[in-house]
Amino acid sequence: MALPPQHPETASHPDKRSSDRPEFDRKLARALAELAATGMWRSNYDPAPDRWLRRRGLRLRPPHYRDPWRYGLGLGVHFAVTWGVLMWLFVWSAEGMPVSLAIGAASAAGLGFGLFMALHMAWGRRRHRLTRWDEL
């Protein structure tokens, strides 16, 4: 059975995949305990989609331990595509909005959302004085 492709931030060197699993699990347990001690809602520090992906074998750090800019970019792209398609289907096409303007509006919304989420994660990490992932 082939291993699922892994994101560079969550993957280790290909030769270390199986040997790094206990180390990742140890760090994940420490990170989740540290986040729980802050009083944050679990849905903020360990969202359901992340738990679902981890159960399927993806080594995914909690959001506060990821690179905030890469995290924000991923969320921004996802938001732009989802929101843009829904707006096109239910509003913009009926109004006769040009496709180029719809793509621009969705991209701007995704950029804003991604930037906000990147700043929010960086602020949360700093506010709660979380340990760096490498130091867990």
Side-chain angles (χ1 to χ4, degrees):
M1 177 170 104
L3 292 172
Q6 296 186 353
H7 192 276
E9 188 173 271
T10 59
S12 297
H13 189 274
D15 298 333
K16 296 182 176 182
R17 281 188 182 147
S18 60
S19 64
D20 279 355
R21 189 67 197 198
E23 177 72 9
F24 174 81
D25 290 342
R26 183 186 61 77
K27 285 183 176 188
L28 178 63
R30 284 185 178 179
L32 293 175
E34 186 176 51
L35 288 162
T38 66
M40 259 188 265
W41 291 348
R42 182 176 182 201
S43 60
N44 286 349
Y45 68 78
D46 193 22
D50 287 6
R51 291 191 310 266
W52 185 84
L53 289 168
R54 273 192 227 109
R55 281 194 301 269
R56 274 131 191 91
L58 187 66
R59 293 183 216 170
L60 196 59
R61 298 176 187 179
H64 291 83
Y65 292 92
R66 297 180 205 160
D67 174 42
W69 302 111
R70 188 176 293 169
Y71 180 69
L73 177 65
L75 286 177
V77 168
H78 177 71
F79 181 85
V81 170
T82 304
W83 183 74
V85 167
L86 290 173
M87 288 298 290
W88 179 259
L89 291 174
F90 295 110
V91 180
W92 293 336
S93 64
E95 293 179 350
M97 179 183 265
V99 173
S100 59
L101 187 57
I103 290 172
S107 298
L111 179 66
F113 180 74
L115 180 62
F116 173 78
M117 290 306 295
L119 292 172
H120 179 69
M121 285 301 139
W123 174 75
R125 185 186 322 184
R126 186 174 181 165
R127 176 177 177 233
H128 295 292
R129 295 186 177 111
L130 298 175
T131 308
R132 291 174 30 98
W133 180 260
D134 297 335
E135 297 169 4
L136 287 172

